[in-house]
Amino acid sequence: MRVIMRIPEKKEFTFSGPKKVREILRELKMNPEATLVIKGNTLLTLDDVVEDGEEIEVRSAISGG
Amino acid sequence: MRLCKVCKAKAVIELPQHNTAFCREHFLAYFENQVRRAIQDFRMFTTEDRILVAVSGGKDSLVLWEVLLRLGYRADGLYIDLGIGDYSAASREKAEAFAAARGATLRIVSLKEQYDVTVPELARSLRRPACSGCGLAKRYLFNLEAEKGEYDVLATGHNLDDEAATLFGNVLHWNLEALRRQSPVLEAENGFRRKVKPLIRLTERETAAYAILTGIDYIVEECPHAVGARSHLYKELLNQLELHSPGAKRQFLLGFYERGRAAIEGATERPEVRPCKVCGQPTVAEVCSFCRMMQRVGVDEVRLMTAAGVE
Ligand code: SF4
Ligand SMILES: [Zn+2]
Ligand SMILES: [Zn+2]
């Protein structure tokens, strides 16, 4: 699966699936309280499973300034 | 699989602070309800009032505008073009597209057009961080535009995380004057318009979720000057705390509004406010800090007066 991040900088990761969103966030060291996982035009919860060949975006919800 | 608390359909978001989860439809309903509650609890405004929303093109301000329109309020937007390179250009486009798609009114003020100076230029000539001049200019122009457009209320998209981080910083430094002023509603006084923050019951994550689930196209990239901001660190710390004790952020902030503020209210003196000698906007000094800053970078008095609509 492809995992895309746009902020703070553009990054891309590859994981092998199936994998729970909770696991993906843990490996990326992202705090679920400050993060959204986007698939298409909807959101995934921590228990959702992402399969091989799928693409998700992990987006930090925190902004500053 | 997590299920929606209301309809048992598959959930799209879990909210540990409420020990619950919602599907798209019920999350949107929950969200709008929280905004409605904040407006009512703090008596922010009514459907009669004309509201000016400060719109940056980011998620919070666009979501706020969207919800106010959905709830039937008379809300126009104000975009302040700060002249911060690509970031300003891109965020302005988002704000304009949002307004156009909804037939909503967006007022635009450009620092460059009105004062022939941009935020990066201000920072360079003043040798101060961009955010200090920028924040000052935004507050000033927001109030000025509201006055020109005769709006009753100014609304900003500050969310629970923004306010909790500010509170954390204010407590860390025991800045009593800032604590007194930190409120979901600042009443109109001495030439300042009434200011409100209808998103204070909602976290930044919830606001971002609302934007994504309603297809609001906001600017995801941050202002280049936001990098390393102190508020980021505070937000991270509070989110660590939240992870271990869900609801902590909410308690911290809402508890302050309910109990903490009243204790501070009487403990600080209110400075006397009068009109700025140059532009007529309210200030505690002879000349307001915006005019002083602008004069320091070479903007002349006539220009400041003209921009403020003073003869
Ligand atoms: S991050 Fe600083 S410079 Fe950028 S818009 Fe916010 S206050 Fe202005
Ligand atoms: Zn539901
Ligand atoms: Zn002035």
Side-chain angles (χ1 to χ4, degrees):
Chain A
M1 76 186 75
R2 285 197 335 148
V3 179
I4 296 170
M5 257 195 233
R6 286 161 71 184
I7 41 171
E9 60 227 44
K10 281 205 169 77
K11 279 189 219 161
E12 215 182 291
F13 304 87
T14 318
F15 290 106
S16 54
K19 210 178 191 59
K20 277 200 174 181
V21 167
R22 188 190 313 278
E23 286 303 314
I24 298 171
L25 293 187
R26 190 174 297 152
E27 285 182 35
L28 293 172
K29 297 194 169 60
M30 302 281 289
N31 182 343
E33 177 52 33
T35 312
L36 288 171
V37 179
I38 308 168
K39 190 176 151 195
N41 57 6
T42 191
L43 299 170
L44 299 182
T45 63
L46 294 177
D47 288 334
D48 283 328
V49 176
V50 186
E51 305 286 345
D52 265 334
E54 292 186 323
E55 183 179 304
I56 57 169
E57 182 189 336
V58 171
R59 189 181 294 179
S60 161
I62 299 305
S63 61
Chain B
M1 191 171 74
R2 209 55 206 267
L3 301 181
C4 171
K5 180 189 165 194
V6 184
C7 71
K8 311 295 174 215
K10 185 194 173 307
V12 296
I13 187 165
E14 52 235 314
L15 306 176
Q17 74 271 35
H18 298 294
N19 192 20
T20 191
F22 291 119
C23 69
R24 176 183 181 278
E25 184 196 336
H26 291 117
F27 172 71
L28 300 186
Y30 150 83
F31 190 99
E32 288 160 18
N33 213 26
Q34 291 292 315
V35 178
R36 209 179 280 128
R37 247 191 92 177
I39 295 170
Q40 283 166 2
D41 284 359
F42 295 102
R43 296 167 200 265
M44 292 184 174
F45 42 74
T46 68
T47 47
E48 302 290 299
D49 290 321
R50 289 186 63 234
I51 306 161
L52 186 62
V53 182
V55 173
S56 68
K59 61 182 185 315
D60 302 301
S61 55
L62 290 181
V63 163
L64 172 60
W65 199 6
E66 171 79 12
V67 174
L68 293 184
L69 292 174
R70 282 192 190 201
L71 295 179
Y73 289 104
R74 303 165 72 192
D76 292 349
L78 171 67
Y79 178 84
I80 300 173
D81 191 331
L82 304 160
I84 308 176
D86 293 345
Y87 167 75
S88 283
S91 58
R92 178 170 171 162
E93 260 173 46
K94 300 285 186 200
E96 286 177 328
F98 177 97
R102 286 154 186 81
T105 303
L106 179 67
R107 301 168 73 98
I108 295 183
V109 186
S110 152
L111 214 53
K112 184 75 189 170
E113 272 167 34
Q114 222 165 89
Y115 301 100
D116 197 26
V117 66
T118 63
V119 161
E121 287 165 5
L122 271 180
R124 235 171 291 135
S125 344
L126 299 169
R127 297 203 187 97
R128 281 205 303 195
C131 297
S132 83
C134 181
L136 179 56
K138 283 194 287 197
R139 277 193 302 278
Y140 177 86
L141 291 169
F142 194 26
N143 201 60
L144 183 63
E145 282 306 305
E147 198 177 289
K148 286 186 185 169
E150 296 180 358
Y151 289 90
D152 303 300
V153 195
L154 301 182
T156 54
H158 293 96
N159 56 46
L160 196 152
D161 292 79
D162 294 325
E163 292 304 289
T166 301
L167 177 60
F168 189 78
N170 288 341
V171 168
L172 207 57
H173 300 105
W174 289 112
N175 186 340
L176 291 184
E177 178 51 27
L179 283 166
R180 183 180 67 74
R181 271 184 286 117
Q182 193 180 350
S183 168
V185 179
L186 281 176
E187 296 298 342
E189 55 173 8
N190 307 314
F192 288 108
R193 299 264 146 173
R194 187 181 173 80
K195 273 193 178 173
V196 300
K197 299 170 181 170
L199 296 186
I200 46 142
R201 299 183 62 87
L202 292 149
T203 65
E204 198 144 20
R205 177 170 166 269
E206 290 171 319
T207 323
Y210 188 92
I212 291 159
L213 293 171
T214 53
I216 292 176
D217 184 19
Y218 68 91
I219 181 156
V220 175
E221 288 72 27
E222 288 226 64
C223 170
H225 302 292
V227 179
R230 198 35 54 119
S231 59
H232 263 234
L233 174 61
Y234 296 162
K235 283 179 183 177
E236 269 175 37
L237 290 170
L238 290 167
N239 279 331
Q240 281 298 322
L241 183 65
E242 186 74 21
L243 192 61
H244 295 282
S245 115
K249 277 191 301 200
R250 243 180 120 74
Q251 265 172 32
F252 180 51
L253 183 67
L254 299 183
F256 169 68
Y257 290 150
E258 280 156 23
R259 302 186 296 281
R261 264 199 89 239
I264 290 162
E265 186 82 61
T268 52
E269 266 179 44
R270 282 162 185 265
E272 197 195 317
V273 175
R274 54 198 149 170
C276 166
K277 278 212 164 144
V278 179
C279 72
Q281 287 293 297
T283 174
V284 291
E286 293 259 295
V287 175
C288 77
S289 38
F290 179 82
C291 286
R292 272 183 285 147
M293 169 173 82
M294 288 310 209
Q295 286 173 333
R296 234 176 294 143
V297 300
V299 178
D300 65 47
E301 210 159 283
V302 178
R303 185 161 206 151
L304 289 166
M305 290 167 66
T306 315
V310 181
E311 295 299 307

